[in-house]
Each structure stands twice: as structure tokens, then as C-alpha cells.
């Protein structure tokens, strides 16, 4: 038999791990961070030298001194005063020949700049270099000097001793080493405290025992036939079981879900509300794209504090996708009601003419109604071969007349009957809502005109609804198809949402064009297979 594996206790494991991590951190810090600090320290010194050089180059004393021989002596005093206050190695102002106009050693004034790195600045280019001059090895920043006409008249060199730079780097390195050393000591003490704290949080259980409990919990969650989704206190998804993933995928919600904010992929989950209020929402219907689920949402409360929320949900296929309001069934009924109302109005006119015994007018009126009705019916039936769709269009024509609006049907050729009956329902839903919205838009306009244009070609149907209404503001167009969004008041905002959903089922799209004061145009395009084909 083999020897049993040595199992370290949690406290011992954490202590050893922290010590190893801290030592490794010391090693990495020495190699990487120290090098980084060296670069940053050098960069700070370079920026300091450049800033001072720019200040000198823009000084009126320097500019005037380079232009006027009499004012040249002021450059030396100005540069030395600034050198003492900024603690740099030297500030040298030179003319275009490289001759010094200022230097810490006044005996070197008028002599050529030493180092051989002044060439680029005399050509108008700022640069930084490291070179050895009369004061030793130094880091140098060069800045050109320009006059009022932007003509270069000289240059400024500011130097910082590399010894001082190296001293600053060494000081920073020493502080890091001290900090890391203290970190090792604090880390060991913290490891001991952390191990005891974790042991208490885990109710005295060892990691292997916790792992076993976690496996059992996971098996139970994954085996349930109800979708389970959990979020933490900020709404980040922490758990979704297999059934939950399946239902979300059926609804067209793409994963992965773990680590994502719940509102990013399911805005209507209302788990964020539960996190804020702490109140459970039980046995409520929720629509996830095209499926309806029955869901329970409850907060997770630990020691009186909300630390998360859990939603359990299951598909509710016996509930219809939406109420009958503003669906195809509602639209069919509305069309029939409109035709009945219009017919009753005409009967009232005929009845009044009979009471007046104006039989000639009765005959003329009936003939006119019959001719108009027959002409209208023949026109619509010849254009729309689907009897349900034709009847619906006739109803909308009557509805428009009843509301004092003109509805024009335009389009070349005819629209054949669809291959699938479900297509008719979706087309009626799309047209019904677009025409109703268009009629609402022109209700208060001087010109009350709505145009329906259709174009069928290559198994593709294009429907265009144009109105002469006031137009739609550009900032609200992108929100028109959001469920519940409306500019007409409360309990509205369903129509265009239904249009968008019907187009998703038909694999179609909608385009919206609108101009203030010149009306709006909605164009929908989707595949349309006919029985003839």
C-alpha cells in the first residue's frame, strides 16, 4: 500500500502561500518596479529640465538680450538666479553660433558650448541628451529661442547632474526595499489572522469538506427542471443553472451569463428592483423576447443586509404572448366595427331621405354608394389576393373616412396570397399599427392624408406608410419600438413594439424617415413567399 498523502491544514497552507507570494513579490519588485521607478525618476528630471528651459526661452530678458548687445549682460544674472532657485546644474543661453551668453562660470561666457549635442536645437528642434561638458556628465534639455516674428535667435540648455538623478533613483529604491520588508512581516501576521478568520467563516470546515458540499449543491441546482438565476448585490450574475440557460437561449438571449450585469442582457428582469427594495415579487409573468415565463424573485438577506437576489422561472406556454389588445384579432374586430358603423351612417341618410319622400335622391344616393363601394372593393380585391388582408384594408379605408382622413392605396401589380396563414396575421399586425399611428399623426393637421404603398418582387414584400403629420423628433426615433415608450401618454407604446416583434418573426426590418413639419415614412421589408410560387 502506498503512503497516504500529507494533507496540510488550512492555516498552515495559507501561511506558507502568503510567505511565498510576498518573497516572489520582493523579487519581481526588485527587477520590474525598480527599473520602472528609475525610468519615471529620469523622466521627471527630464520634464523638469525641459520646463525650466522653456521658461527661459520665453523670457523677455533672454529674447531682448539675444537681440540687443546692450541687454546681453542681463541674461547671465537672470539665468544664475533661476539656476539657484530651481537647483539645476546649469542654465546656458547661447546664440545661433553656439556661443554662451550665460554660464555658472562667468569666465566661460562667450566661448562655444561644450558637448557636441547642441546641433539639433540650433536648427529649431527641442531635444534631450546626455553628454559631458565643462561641469561633468549631465542630463541636458535643449529648447530653441524665437523672437516676436517666430525667427530663431538662439537656444537654451538646462542641465541636471546625473549624479543627482542616480541619487534620486537610489532613494526611491531604498524606500521600496523597506516597504517590501515591512510587507513580509505584515503578510505573515496577516496570513495567520486570515487563516483563522476563514476557518470561522467556513464554520470550522476544511476546504475538502467545503468542496464536497459545493458539489452536492451544484448537482441539486442543475438537476431541477426550473430555471434558477442569481445575482450579487450590484446585479452581477453569479449563477445560472442548465434549465435557466436553456430557457434564455430559447428566448434568443445569448450567453455567457456569468459575470455579466443582469440588466445588460435582460433589462426587464426586475432583479435590480428587488435588490433596492428588498421585497419579493412572486408568481409574476415576465416576457423574455418572444416567450412568457412565470417567475419568482426574492432577495438574499444575510444578517439583515441584502447581499443578492435569486429568480426562479419556468416557461408558461398556456398564456398567450400578449393580450388581445392591439393584436391581429383586435385589428380584425376593429375593421368590422368600422365598416358596420359606416354602413349604419349611410342607412340613417337613406332613412332621412325616405322620410322626406325624396325618392329620386334616395335612388341617386344608393347608386352612388353601390358604385363607390363596388369600385373600392374591386380595386382592393384586385390588388390583395388574400381575402383576410383585403377585408382588413377595406376596413381601414372605412375607418379613415369615418375620421375625416384620406387613405390612399398605391402600388404596381398585386400582392398574392401568402404560403403560410401565419404571415397574414403578422402583415395585418404590422399594417394595422402603422396605419393607426399614421392616422393619429394627421388627426390635427390641415392635410389629413395617409398613403400605403406596396411593392412585391423576388419573394420580398416592401410596405411603405407615409403620413402628412408633424414629423418625429430625431432624438426619440430610436426609442419608438421599445415596449411602453410613447409620446401620446400613458398606456400606449405597444403598437410599434408589436410591429418590431412581427418583423423579427418574419426576418424583416423597419426604416423610419421623418422631417419636421413634412410628415413621416415607415418602410418595412421582409421575405414573402406566395402560394402561387
Amino acid at each position: 500500500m502506498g503512503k497516504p498523502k500529507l494533507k496540510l491544514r488550512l492555516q498552515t497552507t495559507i501561511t506558507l502561500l502568503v510567505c511565498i507570494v510576498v518573497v516572489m513579490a520582493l523579487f519581481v519588485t526588485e527587477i520590474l518596479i525598480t527599473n520602472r521607478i528609475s525610468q519615471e525618476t529620469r523622466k521627471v528630471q527630464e520634464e523638469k529640465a525641459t520646463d525650466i528651459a522653456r521658461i527661459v526661452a520665453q523670457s523677455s530678458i533672454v529674447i531682448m538680450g539675444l537681440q540687443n548687445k546692450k541687454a546681453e549682460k542681463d541674461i547671465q544674472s537672470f539665468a544664475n538666479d533661476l539656476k539657484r532657485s530651481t537647483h539645476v546644474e546649469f542654465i546656458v543661453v547661447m546664440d545661433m553660433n553656439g556661443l554662451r551668453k550665460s554660464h555658472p562660470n562667468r569666465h566661460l561666457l562667450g566661448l562655444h558650448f561644450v558637448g557636441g549635442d547642441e546641433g539639433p536645437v540650433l536648427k529649431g528642434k527641442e531635444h534631450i541628451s546626455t553628454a559631458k561638458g565643462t561641469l561633468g556628465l549631465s542630463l541636458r534639455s535643449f529648447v530653441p529661442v524665437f523672437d516676436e516674428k517666430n525667427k530663431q535667435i538662439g537656444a537654451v540648455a538646462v542641465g541636471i547632474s546625473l549624479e543627482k538623478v542616480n541619487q534620486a533613483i537610489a532613494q526611491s529604491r531604498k524606500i521600496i526595499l523597506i516597504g517590501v520588508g515591512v510587507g513580509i512581516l505584515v503578510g505573515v501576521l496577516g496570513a495567520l489572522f486570515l487563516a483563522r478568520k476563514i476557518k470561522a467563516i467556513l464554520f470550522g470546515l476544511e476546504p475538502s469538506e467545503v468542496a464536497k458540499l459545493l458539489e452536492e449543491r451544484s448537482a441539486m441546482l442543475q438537476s431541477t427542471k426550473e430555471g434558477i438565476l442569481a445575482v450579487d448585490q450590484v446585479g452581477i450574475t453569479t449563477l445560472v443553472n442548465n434549465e435557466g440557460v436553456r430557457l434564455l437561449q430559447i428566448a434568443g438571449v445569448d450567453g455567457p451569463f456569468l459575470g455579466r450585469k443582469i440588466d445588460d442582457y435582460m433589462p426587464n428582469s426586475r432583479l435590480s428592483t428587488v435588490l433596492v427594495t428588498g421585497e419579493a415579487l412572486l408568481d409574476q409573468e415576465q416576457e423574455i423576447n418572444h416567450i412568457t415565463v412565470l417567475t419568482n424573485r426574492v432577495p438574499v438577506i444575510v444578517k439583515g443586509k441584502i447581499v443578492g437576489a435569486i429568480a426562479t422561472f419556468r416557461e408558461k406556454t398556456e398564456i398567450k404572448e400578449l393580450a388581445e389588445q392591439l393584436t391581429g384579432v383586435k385589428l380584425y374586430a376593429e375593421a368590422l366595427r368600422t365598416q358596420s358603423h359606416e354602413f349604419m351612417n349611410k342607412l340613417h341618410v337613406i332613412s332621412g331621405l325616405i322620410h322626406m319622400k325624396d325618392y329620386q335622391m334616395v335612388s341617386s344616393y344608393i347608386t352612388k354608394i353601390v358604385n363607390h363601394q363596388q369600385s373600392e372593393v374591386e380595386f382592393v380585391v384586385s390588388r390583395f389576393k388574400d381575402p383576410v388582408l383585403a377585408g382588413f384594408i377595406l376596413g381601414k379605408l372605412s375607418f379613415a373616412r369615418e375620421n375625416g382622413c384620406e387613405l390612399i392605396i398605391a402600388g404596381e401589380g398585386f400582392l398574392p396570397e401568402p404560403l403560410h396563414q401565419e404571415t397574414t396575421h403578422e402583415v395585418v399586425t404590422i399594417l394595422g399599427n402603422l396605419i393607426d399611428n399614421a392616422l393619429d399623426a394627421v388627426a390635427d393637421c390641415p392635410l389629413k392624408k395617409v398613403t400605403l404603398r406596396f411593392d412585391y418582387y423576388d419573394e420580398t414584400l416592401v410596405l411603405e406608410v407615409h403620413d402628412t403629420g408633424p414629423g418625429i423628433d430625431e432624438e426619440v426615433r430610436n426609442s419608438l419600438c421599445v415596449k411602453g415608450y410613447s409620446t401620446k401618454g400613458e398606456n400606449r407604446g405597444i403598437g410599434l413594439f408589436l410591429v418590431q416583434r412581427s418583423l423579427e418573426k418574419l426576418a424583416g426590418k423597419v426604416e423610419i424617415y421623418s422631417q419636421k413639419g413634412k410628415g413621416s415614412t415607415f418602410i418595412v421589408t421582409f421575405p414573402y413567399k406566395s402560394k402561387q410560387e
Side-chain angles (χ1 to χ4, degrees), residues 236-240 256-260 265:
I236 301 298
T237 305
T238 57
L239 178 134
V240 185
F257 306 105
L258 297 182
R260 292 174 61 189
Y265 63 89

Side-chain angles (χ1 to χ4, degrees), residues 52 55-57 59-62 73-85 91 93 102:
I52 295 172
I55 291 173
V56 175
S59 169
S60 59
I61 296 175
V62 172
K73 63 180 184 301
D74 296 334
I75 297 178
Q76 171 71 356
S77 58
F78 170 73
N80 286 339
D81 290 342
L82 188 59
K83 167 189 167 299
R84 284 191 293 272
S85 62
I91 299 177
V93 178
S102 69

Side-chain angles (χ1 to χ4, degrees), residues 144-214:
V145 179
F146 296 96
D147 61 12
E148 296 82 358
K149 298 180 180 180
N150 204 29
K151 178 183 177 183
Q152 186 175 0
I153 57 175
V156 177
V158 175
I160 297 177
S161 171
L162 283 182
E163 183 179 352
K164 292 182 179 179
V165 175
N166 293 333
Q167 287 177 356
I169 293 173
Q171 183 66 25
S172 300
R173 185 176 181 183
K174 181 179 179 181
I175 294 173
I176 291 174
L177 292 176
I178 294 173
V180 173
V182 173
I184 292 177
L185 178 61
V186 174
V188 173
L189 297 176
L192 294 173
F193 173 78
L194 178 63
R196 294 181 181 179
K197 188 72 175 177
I198 292 176
K199 192 80 171 179
I201 293 173
L202 298 179
F203 302 101
L205 298 175
E206 288 295 324
S208 58
E209 297 170 321
V210 174
K212 182 180 178 182
L213 289 175
L214 182 61

Side-chain angles (χ1 to χ4, degrees), residues 236-247:
I236 301 298
T237 305
T238 57
L239 178 134
V240 185
N241 69 345
N242 291 337
E243 180 64 11
V245 172
R246 187 187 72 84
L247 290 174

Side-chain angles (χ1 to χ4, degrees), residues 215-271:
E215 289 175 355
E216 294 173 352
R217 166 184 169 272
S218 178
M220 288 187 291
L221 288 174
Q222 300 302 341
S223 62
T224 183
K225 291 300 181 183
E226 191 168 37
I228 300 175
L229 187 150
V231 299
D232 61 15
Q233 62 267 31
V234 295
I236 301 298
T237 305
T238 57
L239 178 134
V240 185
N241 69 345
N242 291 337
E243 180 64 11
V245 172
R246 187 187 72 84
L247 290 174
L248 290 174
Q249 288 177 342
I250 291 175
V253 181
D254 296 326
F257 306 105
L258 297 182
R260 292 174 61 189
K261 205 168 181 64
I262 183 68
D263 291 338
D264 290 343
Y265 63 89
M266 195 160 54
N268 62 339
S269 70
R270 298 195 66 189
L271 285 176

